[in-house]
């Protein structure tokens, strides 16, 4: 048999290898542009409604922006009635899972010292006073005292509330 020169495989030719290297570089450059590189964001009113405050890196601090939006400086002035209420009665919400943390936050936002005790105390609700009165006497309280107070009532109906009415004058005057 005679020696026949077989053609070189295509993948061994220098032109093919250079072409593949160029294609790979173009692919990697495209992937970099598409997935990694991003043009720098220019913060202005054309790109976003919130333009500040900025972090040290020059990025928008969205948490601080929200805090400024919902807790403006006017919140800590005497023009805020809620501030006066908290100063008089303390934080009476009691609706959070971590009351002390939220109480301190509330006092900070209102510009109040959390260590100063409230001046007044909110009185018990009238129906609670009636329930307690009957319980101390050993009698059964009314079935639904809240419902009983939906209609007008007098001290003749509930004489045990006379002291309660006198006790609520000071807090009501303060709220007024």
């Amino acid at each position: 048999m005679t020696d026949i020169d077989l053609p070189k495989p295509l993948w061994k030719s220098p032109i093919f290898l250079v072409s593949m290297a160029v294609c790979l570089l173009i692919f990697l450059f495209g992937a970099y542009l598409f997935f990694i590189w991003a043009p720098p964001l220019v913060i202005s009113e054309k790109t976003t409604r919130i333009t500040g405050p900025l972090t040290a890196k020059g990025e928008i601090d969205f948490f601080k922006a929200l805090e400024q939006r919902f807790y403006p400086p006017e919140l800590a002035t005497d023009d805020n009635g809620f501030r006066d209420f908290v100063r008089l009665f303390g934080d009476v919400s009691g609706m959070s899972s971590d009351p002390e943390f939220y109480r301190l936050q509330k006092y900070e936002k209102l510009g109040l010292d959390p260590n100063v005790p409230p001046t007044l105390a909110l009185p018990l609700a009238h129906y609670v006073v009636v329930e307690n009165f009957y319980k101390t006497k050993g009698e059964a309280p009314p079935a639904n005292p809240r419902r009983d107070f939906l209609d007008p009532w007098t001290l003749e109906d509930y004489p045990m509330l006379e002291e309660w009415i006198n006790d609520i004058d000071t807090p009501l005057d303060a709220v007024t």
Side-chain angles (χ1 to χ4, degrees), residues 4-78:
I4 300 175
D5 282 340
L6 295 173
K8 279 177 143 178
L10 182 63
W11 58 272
K12 285 190 173 182
S13 94
I15 295 174
F16 179 79
L17 292 175
V18 170
S19 300
M20 285 296 112
V22 169
C23 287
L24 181 64
L25 287 174
I26 291 172
F27 174 77
L28 291 175
F29 182 70
Y32 169 77
L33 287 178
F34 190 75
F35 293 110
I36 299 172
W37 179 82
L41 177 66
V42 178
I43 298 172
S44 73
E45 291 183 8
K46 292 179 182 178
T47 58
T48 182
R49 289 185 182 181
I50 301 173
T51 57
L54 302 178
T55 64
K57 292 181 178 179
E59 300 167 345
I60 298 173
D61 188 346
F62 287 102
F63 289 114
K64 187 66 110 175
L66 283 172
E67 188 174 59
Q68 288 177 355
R69 165 104 166 117
F70 292 108
Y71 300 109
E74 305 85 54
L75 196 66
T77 65
D78 285 331

Side-chain angles (χ1 to χ4, degrees), residues 76-113:
T77 65
D78 285 331
D79 292 337
N80 182 359
F82 182 68
R83 182 175 192 257
D84 292 335
F85 185 87
V86 171
R87 185 184 294 136
L88 289 171
F89 299 104
D91 181 19
V92 295
S93 65
M95 297 182 62
S96 62
S97 59
D98 186 3
E100 184 61 16
F101 171 77
Y102 290 109
R103 185 185 79 83
L104 293 174
Q105 286 287 311
K106 196 175 291 182
Y107 273 78
E108 178 188 335
K109 302 293 184 218
L110 293 172
L112 297 173
D113 184 2

